[in-house]
Amino acid sequence: MLIELKKFGVTLTSRDDGREALAAFKPSLNSLGPNEKIEISFDGVNTLSPSWADEFIIGLNKLFPSRLKLKPSDNLSVKASLDLLEKIHQIKF
Amino acid sequence: MNHNKYFSIPYPILSISQAADMLDVNIQTLRRWDKSGKLKAERFSTDGSGPRFYHESVFTDFLMDNHKYCQKMAERWSVAKTPIQLPEAFYCPDRSVFQARLSRFELLLKGNLLFNQIYSLIVAMAGEIGNNSFDHNLGNWPDVIGVFLGYNLTQRTIILADRGQGILTTLKRFRPELNNHADALKVAFTEIVSGRAPESRGNGLKFVKQVVQENNFSLFFQTGDATLFLNNKSAVSPVKTGGHFLPGCSAKLNF
């Protein structure tokens, strides 16, 4: 399954919005196959903050451990946010 | 009690005394600025007599262009015992207004050749600082709810301020041993809050620190009687300020 974050907005900064995005998207995850990977694309996103990503990406990772694959991005806020979350949660995407 | 009357301008015009109060200058200065054209006033009568007044949009443009006064206004608003009025353009009473203005700021930065490589970092930092104000004061705002947001692309500066509880009060809930603002400020900027802590939030300022230190940015942050200056050469060393006590938080970010 491919999740395009731009479909949630282009300025993804608040924790509340990240939590709401995951809650709204959860029903779409029902169609996920038992071993199907989840790819996340950052294309088209202007700004990503660690608070939004903590709720949505880390939230997804908790629901589907080891099944997340983050597509590479040149966006500096995406890189910086993911760097911090990897340190906080001691994980490597 | 309706606090709104204290911090948003009720009409789209300002009297000269309201304008003087907001800018913290005297009326004579404003009369001089009117004559020199620095800040043109309007008159109620067509023959140029009668009391001076200002359209809020003209006043706002003046503050946008003269960042020194915008910064002074943010400082006065955040430290005053009784909150001063703010022009609507700088005041975000809730998260949705803040988000909308942050998106506009993002558009301006993205469309500017000077910032189109780094804009996302600036917006992400501003988002973390502003959203922190709403997250950490939810249900506990001492008086005025909301955030001051002002920026100037020529000066490469963004200012955020709130009249919230400040970092020490917030952190004391799960770090009761903290007993001064400087220590609380250091914890907020340096210690990563584990996902097993009472709340997973609280890492926004660590992100700001990381981005400031890895780029050619600088940050001046105040809460209570503690201030912190951070750039790519400095460590996180908050100091006790001799200036105004600031109950909430304020941040000036240079990019």
Side-chain angles (χ1 to χ4, degrees), chain A residues 7 13 20 25 31 37 41 45 59 62 64-65 69 86:
Chain A
K7 293 185 177 176
T13 56
E20 177 59 25
F25 194 72
S31 62
K37 292 276 182 194
S41 165
V45 170
K62 283 176 183 162
F64 301 97
K69 187 181 171 198
E86 285 183 337

Side-chain angles (χ1 to χ4, degrees), chain B residues 179-196:
Chain B
N179 59 16
N180 67 72
H181 295 279
D183 287 349
L185 194 49
K186 183 156 188 164
V187 167
F189 272 88
T190 56
E191 291 187 22
I192 286 179
V193 180
S194 140
R196 289 189 293 272

Side-chain angles (χ1 to χ4, degrees), chain A residues 22 53-64:
Chain A
L22 181 58
D54 195 25
E55 292 295 331
F56 189 86
I57 297 174
I58 299 298
L60 263 182
N61 195 50
K62 283 176 183 162
L63 291 171
F64 301 97

Side-chain angles (χ1 to χ4, degrees), chain A residues 6-86:
Chain A
K6 68 181 177 190
K7 293 185 177 176
F8 297 93
V10 294
T11 312
L12 307 173
T13 56
S14 87
R15 188 169 286 279
D16 278 5
D17 287 350
R19 191 182 303 125
E20 177 59 25
L22 181 58
F25 194 72
K26 267 184 186 168
S28 305
L29 294 163
N30 291 337
S31 62
L32 201 65
N35 296 310
E36 190 180 341
K37 292 276 182 194
I38 302 170
E39 281 193 302
I40 295 183
S41 165
F42 301 94
D43 286 354
V45 170
N46 284 342
T47 301
L48 179 74
S49 82
S51 290
W52 195 96
D54 195 25
E55 292 295 331
F56 189 86
I57 297 174
I58 299 298
L60 263 182
N61 195 50
K62 283 176 183 162
L63 291 171
F64 301 97
S66 309
R67 289 169 67 178
L68 244 58
K69 187 181 171 198
L70 307 188
K71 291 196 146 199
S73 170
D74 291 333
N75 185 296
L76 296 180
S77 66
V78 170
K79 288 180 180 176
S81 295
L82 295 178
D83 271 0
L84 183 74
L85 292 178
E86 285 183 337

Side-chain angles (χ1 to χ4, degrees), chain B residues 193-205:
Chain B
V193 180
S194 140
R196 289 189 293 272
E199 50 179 12
S200 63
R201 63 187 55 187
N203 297 305
L205 294 179

Side-chain angles (χ1 to χ4, degrees), chain B residues 128-153:
Chain B
E128 287 294 344
I129 294 170
N131 282 311
N132 256 2
S133 292
F134 289 106
D135 288 345
H136 294 302
N137 290 294
L138 189 63
N140 286 304
W141 291 96
D143 49 26
V144 179
I145 300 172
V147 167
F148 178 101
L149 172 64
Y151 50 82
N152 184 301
L153 299 195

